Amino acid sequence: MTYLLGLRMKDRDVLVVGGGRVAQRRVPVLLEAGARVTLVSPEASAALEDLADAGHLTWLRRPWEAGDVSGPDAPAFWLVHAATDSPEVNAEIAEESEGSRVWCVRADDRHASSAWTPASGSANGITVGVIASGDPRRSAGLRDAVIDGLADGTLDARRGRERLRGVALVGGGPGDPGLITVRGQQLLSQADVVVVDRLAPTSLLDRLPADVEIVDASKIPYGRSMTQDDINSVLVERAREGKFVVRLKGGDSFLFGRGGEEAAACSAAGVPVIAVPGVTSALAAPASAGIPATHRGVAQDVHIVSAHVAPGDSRSTVDWAGLARAGGTVVVLMGVQRIEAITEALIENGRAPDTPVAVVQEATLPGQRTVTGTLADIAVSARSAQVRPPAVVIIGEVVKTARDLDILHTGAQFEIDQLATGRDLQ
């Protein structure tokens, strides 16, 4: 039998002996918990060496020596990890720790350990630790099942003593529900109210409890929409009622998502607000189509612009002439309706008409497809293919690079349900 404790390690000394893969897994967790880590090992992995060079841990570059736990020059350690590749050395470390009444975790022999490290993880402010008779594989499997349940709301963690308040601006990613961040999913699972855009991963809403209020804040291009002032009002009003509000958007809230306006409205009203970054379609769309936004020797700069107003419009703040001269990759959001004006502006200002262009529609979703061409002909090709929003336009030599490397994808590469169920991709 074991007796489980949650150890508060902040500013407490921990000794880790061994600099291999076991130490590489455990040291970052100890540092995250606030422990002061001393590493004893003649060699260490590159990641551990980097942590030592940055001053995050003390590295004694030598083998284990008797007295490292209990000697007069040793700190008063609270915990010891014996993680060398020598069972004899690990046994010596454990014996010295036992004599000093310090808990010791042996990486090589769970039956000889005075302590076991649980398979642990966190979700929704809850830390889960699983010990299955010291069997790490079984523990990790159970831990993952619980964490997944907490993250996606299958296990309801909303009813704690201290429920969340205020507004969270959550970037939901480019469309595939699997591309929302873990933090974003965790906050979504605790929401009392979700204010959602049409480009957000709306299939996630089906996992929420029935009592969660869903507010449709969709803005359909050239169609009906909820005004930004109304959206701001809903966020503030629901939060003032004591509810936790998640503003779920596609992409990233602070990249052409008006997240700054919503954060300002909440702040002005005295409502606590946090932002959770999302995967922006400006980078996800090229990647999902196999187009590297940058590539050594081809493009060292990327320019992300919005074309919600056309080049030449007095409201536009985009320097199209500068973009034409820059020569790097240009990624245009909200550009499908104005693709003729965009290509004309770039050509008129000096960009070569034969510059490669790709238009990626519904990036990361099952309906993803890519239309390619040049600045001279992409507008006609996109119209002929009946490309519609949401779509991202990528302009630059990286499109040709993707084609030359045979990594350019013109259609979705696999069904999302294959990835979700873990089936092999053919």
Side-chain angles (χ1 to χ4, degrees), residues 110-151:
R110 58 191 173 101
H111 300 292
S113 287
S114 61
W116 290 333
T117 301
S120 61
S122 297
N124 298 341
I126 299 171
T127 298
V128 175
V130 179
I131 294 176
S133 299
D135 183 337
R137 185 181 297 274
R138 188 180 182 201
S139 298
L142 291 170
R143 181 269 320 274
D144 291 344
V146 175
I147 291 298
D148 289 346
L150 289 171

Side-chain angles (χ1 to χ4, degrees), residues 15-18 39-42 60-74 77 80 84 89-90 92-94 96-97:
L15 175 65
V16 178
V17 186
L39 176 67
V40 175
S41 181
L60 303 181
R61 305 187 185 206
R62 58 168 175 77
W64 151 265
E65 296 176 357
D68 277 347
V69 175
S70 58
D73 296 328
F77 292 114
V80 174
T84 77
V89 172
N90 289 339
E92 291 176 12
I93 298 168
E96 185 170 317
S97 301

Side-chain angles (χ1 to χ4, degrees), residues 30 40-41 49 60 91 125 174 190 200 209 251-252 260 290 298 306 353 356 416:
L30 290 166
V40 175
S41 181
E49 182 175 356
L60 303 181
Q190 297 182 77
D252 182 274
V298 178
S306 166
I416 288 179

Side-chain angles (χ1 to χ4, degrees), residues 300-327:
Q300 299 180 12
D301 54 330
V302 181
H303 307 269
I304 301 173
V305 299
S306 166
H308 71 284
V309 293
D313 191 302
S314 60
R315 296 169 296 168
S316 176
T317 61
V318 177
D319 182 4
W320 292 100
L323 289 177
R325 294 190 300 269

Side-chain angles (χ1 to χ4, degrees), residues 362-425:
E362 296 184 12
T364 76
L365 294 172
Q368 174 180 317
R369 61 179 178 140
T370 304
V371 176
T372 62
T374 66
L375 277 179
D377 62 23
I378 191 62
V380 173
S381 298
R383 298 297 181 218
S384 177
Q386 298 183 330
V387 173
R388 63 184 187 279
V392 175
V393 181
I394 304 106
I395 303 167
E397 293 301 318
V398 291
V399 176
K400 179 177 182 297
T401 297
R403 185 183 296 112
D404 292 344
L405 294 175
D406 198 26
I407 57 176
L408 179 66
H409 308 322
T410 57
Q413 293 302 290
F414 52 84
E415 295 294 332
I416 288 179
D417 66 336
Q418 286 181 307
L419 182 60
T421 58
R423 294 203 301 271
D424 291 337
L425 305 180

Side-chain angles (χ1 to χ4, degrees), residues 169-175 179-185 201 247-255 275-284:
L169 307 176
V170 175
L179 293 177
I180 188 173
T181 65
V182 173
R183 180 60 173 158
Q185 177 62 76
R247 174 69 168 112
L248 183 63
K249 296 170 172 284
D252 182 274
S253 300
F254 280 13
L255 186 65
V276 179
V279 179
T280 173
S281 61
L283 299 179

Side-chain angles (χ1 to χ4, degrees), residues 17-228:
V17 186
R21 58 183 181 83
V22 175
Q24 185 170 318
R25 289 201 310 269
R26 293 182 178 171
V27 166
V29 180
L30 290 166
L31 293 175
E32 187 175 307
R36 291 191 297 261
V37 175
T38 298
L39 176 67
V40 175
S41 181
E43 297 179 349
S45 69
L48 292 173
E49 182 175 356
D50 184 61
L51 289 173
D53 290 344
H56 297 304
L57 58 84
T58 300
W59 181 15
L60 303 181
R61 305 187 185 206
R62 58 168 175 77
W64 151 265
E65 296 176 357
D68 277 347
V69 175
S70 58
D73 296 328
F77 292 114
W78 293 71
L79 180 65
V80 174
H81 281 268
T84 77
D85 57 6
S86 169
E88 293 78 16
V89 172
N90 289 339
E92 291 176 12
I93 298 168
E95 183 178 357
E96 185 170 317
S97 301
E98 185 75 13
S100 302
R101 295 189 177 184
V102 178
W103 297 108
C104 178
V105 179
R106 283 188 62 172
D108 62 327
D109 189 347
R110 58 191 173 101
H111 300 292
S113 287
S114 61
W116 290 333
T117 301
S120 61
S122 297
N124 298 341
I126 299 171
T127 298
V128 175
V130 179
I131 294 176
S133 299
D135 183 337
R137 185 181 297 274
R138 188 180 182 201
S139 298
L142 291 170
R143 181 269 320 274
D144 291 344
V146 175
I147 291 298
D148 289 346
L150 289 171
D152 65 19
T154 305
L155 296 178
D156 189 356
R158 296 187 302 148
R159 292 168 175 80
R161 293 181 183 176
E162 299 179 6
R163 296 180 65 178
L164 294 175
R165 295 290 187 270
V167 174
L169 307 176
V170 175
D176 180 348
L179 293 177
I180 188 173
T181 65
V182 173
R183 180 60 173 158
Q185 177 62 76
Q186 290 171 351
L187 292 178
L188 180 63
S189 71
Q190 297 182 77
D192 299 306
V193 180
V194 178
V195 182
V196 61
D197 279 356
R198 71 181 183 90
L199 295 181
T202 53
S203 62
L204 295 175
L205 302 179
D206 189 49
R207 304 179 185 177
L208 299 177
D211 61 345
V212 176
E213 180 186 3
I214 307 297
V215 179
D216 183 359
S218 298
K219 294 181 179 181
I220 301 173
Y222 313 103
R224 62 189 182 88
S225 64
M226 186 174 183
T227 69
Q228 189 61 52

Side-chain angles (χ1 to χ4, degrees), residues 281-357:
S281 61
L283 299 179
S288 65
I291 301 171
T294 63
H295 192 76
R296 184 166 57 179
V298 178
Q300 299 180 12
D301 54 330
V302 181
H303 307 269
I304 301 173
V305 299
S306 166
H308 71 284
V309 293
D313 191 302
S314 60
R315 296 169 296 168
S316 176
T317 61
V318 177
D319 182 4
W320 292 100
L323 289 177
R325 294 190 300 269
T329 304
V330 179
V331 178
V332 184
L333 304 184
M334 296 172 277
V336 172
Q337 296 299 325
R338 300 175 179 83
I339 194 167
E340 290 90 354
I342 293 167
T343 55
E344 290 170 4
L346 290 173
I347 293 173
E348 288 174 2
N349 285 284
R351 198 73 180 250
D354 62 353
T355 299
V357 182

